[in-house]
Amino acid sequence: MTYQTEVNAAAAAITGKPGWESISAESVARMRLQNRFKTGLDIARYTAAIMRRDMAAYDADPARYTQSLGCWHGFIGQQKLISIKKHFGTTDKRYLYLSGWMIAALRSEFGPLPDQSMHEKTSVPALIEELYTFLRQADARELGGLFRDLDAARAAGDNVKAQAVQNQIDNFQTHVVPIIADIDAGFGNAEATYLLARKMIEAGACALQIENQVSDEKQCGHQDGKVTVPHEDFLAKIRAIRYAFLELGVEDGVIVARTDSLGAGLTKQIAYSRAPGDIGDQYNSYLDCDEIDVSQVGNGDVVISRNGKLLRPKRLPSNLFQFRAGSGEDRCVLDCINSLQNGADLLWIETEKPHIGQIAGMVDRIREVVPHAKLVYNNSPSFNWTLNFRQQVFDAWAADGRDVSAFDRARLMSVDYDGSELAAEADERIRTFQRDAAARAGIFHHLITLPTYHTAALSTDNLAKEYFGDAGMLGYVKNVQRAEIRQGIACVKHQNMSGSDIGDDHKEYFAGEAALKAGGVHNTMNQFAA
């Protein structure tokens, strides 16, 4: 709907209503355009359609992969999207990621927590709602500026400028983008997963990521002690999420099935098997077992039968069962195929290092069964990217017969190697990792889970070092405010960013000339006009 048709629609709603003569149709139209998404479900339906289009585009051309950064506060997400629009002119193929790790570490009423599903599960939909509140406010702020430009052009009698601004309004691209939201292992059984999924979807999430760990033993994907569940247990939760999407009318909702099997060596349950070769039997086939006879069955032993043999799975004092060493990759492939064949849309394989060859090897096997299998991949800050890629280059050079005697493989992180040819090649591989992995390893979406956690810590450390040191106030002015002004960072006008000008517009709508507005000549924000 164009600006003018919105004005006309508002005028039709007002005309003939006794006592409504002072209501401005154009002001109503502006408020409607600044509040395009009335509910979280409107957002979920809109963004789900975006993701489906992007997935189809990637299938046609792997160069059209998508990206996101994890954000732990609405303001951080807002500034990210404002920055993307400023630098690239469009938000296409850029999403937000909502990390359960960051909610646990930063948003729990218990205080900082490890990523073990101990935080309040209601904090997940609360952050989704907060992120979209800030993105919608970014829309209102940018459109408000365009409306002021339109009024100024009209007041100056510049019809050409006025039409140009109106075209910008008609073609305005929202800051609202898809959120891939982490539901951990579902925070309980399938019913608990369904209830939380509903809340997350109602808040606006179009894509939910769920992992195959045991809910009450859930660990961060880059920690030890991970425990997986049999496939049927995981599929019940995938179905619960699909039912939640369908119940709420988000028929394009996206489910990301995450497997932690590569690093998980334990299971809490032996899967139920109805017949040899079924999914339960396949899960059990990876258990680390000793072959025994009936006379060796001890008190409390659990035994299983396979191919006429009696097997005793290795059981730990924790009551967990152990998988065979080296079976993780095979279990990952089985997890992925089974998830895609039972309702998941995208995969997430949590690896221990960012290695394209390792990821591609698993994806190739998955695609033998499901040709259009696609991954969401965690470009994790838990990886030491510098060391990993320098070691990959070192190993590649050594395999090619190149002389690597000048390098100590275990010390490749050292600053001593920063100017070396090896370091330069490693950095180039890091730079092109997302593009190369999208082309070779089926990665549709690249994300960094915790980047803004680290950027907040780094920038605060730099400011504290300068401000509380000899630089004093210059530490803030030179490294923050002056940089903001010169880089065109919108929130240097922090009153405007917080909604002061939007409020002034509303005051004028409501009170006309009697409005007491904050943005007058004495507002110190005017110092940043130039």
Side-chain angles (χ1 to χ4, degrees):
M1 184 175 285
T2 68
Y3 181 74
Q4 192 56 53
T5 55
E6 194 70 70
V7 172
N8 294 341
I14 294 167
T15 301
K17 302 293 194 304
W20 289 23
E21 292 81 5
S22 62
I23 301 295
S24 163
E26 189 157 25
S27 297
V28 172
R30 291 179 177 188
M31 295 175 78
R32 286 178 174 178
L33 288 169
Q34 288 174 301
N35 186 27
R36 171 180 172 182
F37 301 99
K38 305 301 187 289
T39 70
L41 287 177
D42 292 336
I43 293 172
R45 295 185 188 105
Y46 169 78
T47 53
I50 290 174
M51 279 198 73
R52 293 291 178 175
R53 289 195 298 272
D54 286 348
M55 289 160 66
Y58 174 81
D59 286 339
D61 179 5
R64 302 178 70 181
Y65 59 91
T66 57
Q67 300 168 289
S68 66
L69 295 173
C71 298
W72 54 272
H73 191 278
F75 176 74
I76 301 297
Q78 178 197 65
Q79 293 306 301
K80 188 189 98 170
L81 267 298
I82 288 174
S83 177
I84 287 169
K85 285 192 74 174
K86 180 182 77 172
H87 291 295
F88 304 103
T90 178
T91 61
D92 289 352
K93 296 179 176 55
R94 278 87 174 194
Y95 303 170
L96 287 176
Y97 179 67
L98 185 151
S99 161
W101 192 101
M102 284 209 284
I103 289 181
L106 298 169
R107 301 298 299 253
S108 172
E109 292 184 10
F110 293 107
L113 293 172
D115 183 21
Q116 296 171 357
S117 290
M118 294 188 290
H119 56 279
E120 308 86 350
K121 60 186 178 182
T122 52
S123 60
V124 186
L127 180 53
I128 296 169
E129 183 176 4
E130 177 181 292
L131 283 162
Y132 280 129
T133 296
F134 273 80
L135 295 185
R136 291 161 65 196
Q137 194 262 9
D139 282 358
R141 173 189 163 275
E142 187 174 331
L143 282 165
L146 290 172
F147 297 150
R148 289 180 176 219
D149 290 344
L150 179 60
D151 290 341
R154 287 173 175 174
D158 190 340
N159 294 331
V160 174
K161 177 67 179 296
Q163 188 57 55
V165 174
Q166 193 162 320
N167 288 340
Q168 287 181 269
I169 296 168
D170 291 343
N171 295 293
F172 178 80
Q173 185 181 37
T174 178
H175 295 82
V176 169
V177 297
I179 287 179
I180 298 175
D182 186 358
I183 198 171
D184 280 20
F187 287 86
N189 60 16
E191 174 68 5
T193 301
Y194 155 76
L195 292 171
L196 179 55
R198 273 192 50 169
K199 288 293 185 185
M200 293 170 73
I201 297 162
E202 287 170 343
C206 71
L208 302 184
Q209 164 223 328
I210 187 164
E211 60 205 66
N212 69 335
Q213 291 192 50
V214 176
S215 289
D216 59 350
E217 300 283 355
K218 181 259 189 297
Q219 296 275 16
C220 171
H222 294 283
Q223 292 180 323
D224 206 353
K226 293 186 288 184
V227 182
T228 63
V229 298
H231 293 91
E232 287 298 338
D233 290 37
F234 188 53
L235 294 183
K237 294 184 177 182
I238 288 177
R239 285 191 289 269
I241 294 172
R242 181 62 66 203
Y243 273 107
F245 273 126
L246 292 172
E247 176 187 350
L248 295 171
V250 185
E251 296 180 3
D252 285 340
V254 176
I255 299 174
V256 182
R258 168 175 152 177
T259 173
D260 279 278
S261 290
L262 197 62
L266 303 168
T267 182
K268 200 167 188 176
Q269 299 164 264
I270 295 175
Y272 177 73
S273 174
R274 297 175 179 83
D278 67 12
I279 193 63
D281 188 47
Q282 291 179 66
Y283 186 81
N284 294 338
S285 72
Y286 295 110
L287 293 169
D288 192 1
C289 299
D290 294 319
E291 185 177 345
I292 61 172
D293 59 42
V294 174
S295 66
Q296 295 174 294
V297 177
N299 184 55
D301 274 355
V302 173
V303 296
I304 60 176
S305 172
R306 182 183 301 120
N307 299 326
K309 298 177 181 179
L310 199 60
L311 304 175
R312 180 171 56 205
K314 291 183 179 177
R315 193 178 193 182
L316 306 181
S318 60
N319 208 30
L320 300 171
F321 297 95
Q322 187 171 296
F323 288 114
R324 292 195 315 274
S327 66
E329 186 167 312
D330 290 338
R331 286 183 283 124
C332 266
V333 171
L334 179 62
D335 293 344
C336 292
I337 292 171
N338 191 56
S339 294
L340 290 175
Q341 290 178 332
N342 288 275
D345 302 294
L346 296 168
L347 301 171
W348 175 314
I349 299 176
E350 194 76 340
T351 65
E352 81 286 0
K353 59 183 180 291
H355 192 288
I356 292 175
Q358 178 196 36
I359 304 164
M362 289 184 278
V363 171
D364 287 346
R365 293 173 62 189
I366 296 163
R367 285 183 164 178
E368 289 176 5
V369 182
V370 187
H372 289 297
K374 293 180 282 297
L375 266 64
V376 171
Y377 187 71
N378 177 8
N379 293 223
S380 177
S382 293
F383 303 142
N384 185 331
W385 286 76
T386 302
L387 180 61
N388 266 290
F389 276 83
R390 288 182 181 183
Q391 288 179 339
Q392 288 179 39
V393 173
F394 179 97
D395 294 342
W397 283 10
D400 290 342
R402 292 184 59 170
D403 182 10
V404 292
S405 60
F407 303 98
D408 180 347
R409 190 180 187 280
R411 292 186 57 255
L412 287 174
M413 181 67 193
S414 172
V415 68
D416 297 340
Y417 298 124
D418 282 0
S420 68
E421 183 184 355
L422 184 147
E425 183 172 329
D427 281 355
E428 179 62 13
R429 290 191 184 196
I430 293 170
R431 187 185 72 82
T432 64
F433 173 80
Q434 295 188 344
R435 182 192 69 195
D436 297 341
R440 175 65 189 92
I443 298 178
F444 157 73
H445 185 77
H446 283 278
L447 60 88
I448 307 178
T449 44
L450 322 174
T452 52
Y453 178 89
H454 293 281
T455 55
L458 179 62
S459 62
T460 302
D461 180 79
N462 289 331
L463 176 60
K465 177 180 65 176
E466 296 291 323
Y467 176 75
F468 293 105
D470 290 340
M473 191 58 193
L474 184 61
Y476 172 78
V477 172
K478 181 179 179 181
N479 298 318
V480 180
Q481 189 181 80
R482 191 178 298 167
E484 282 182 304
I485 294 170
R486 291 178 176 173
Q487 292 180 40
I489 304 299
C491 73
V492 71
K493 299 181 181 179
H494 48 259
Q495 306 284 17
N496 167 271
M497 185 58 64
S498 69
S500 179
D501 288 347
I502 296 171
D504 275 358
D505 291 340
H506 291 170
K507 290 174 185 177
E508 189 170 353
Y509 299 164
F510 306 154
E513 294 181 357
L516 183 63
K517 296 192 287 188
V521 294
H522 298 298
N523 188 321
T524 60
M525 287 287 97
N526 294 328
Q527 297 173 24
F528 301 99

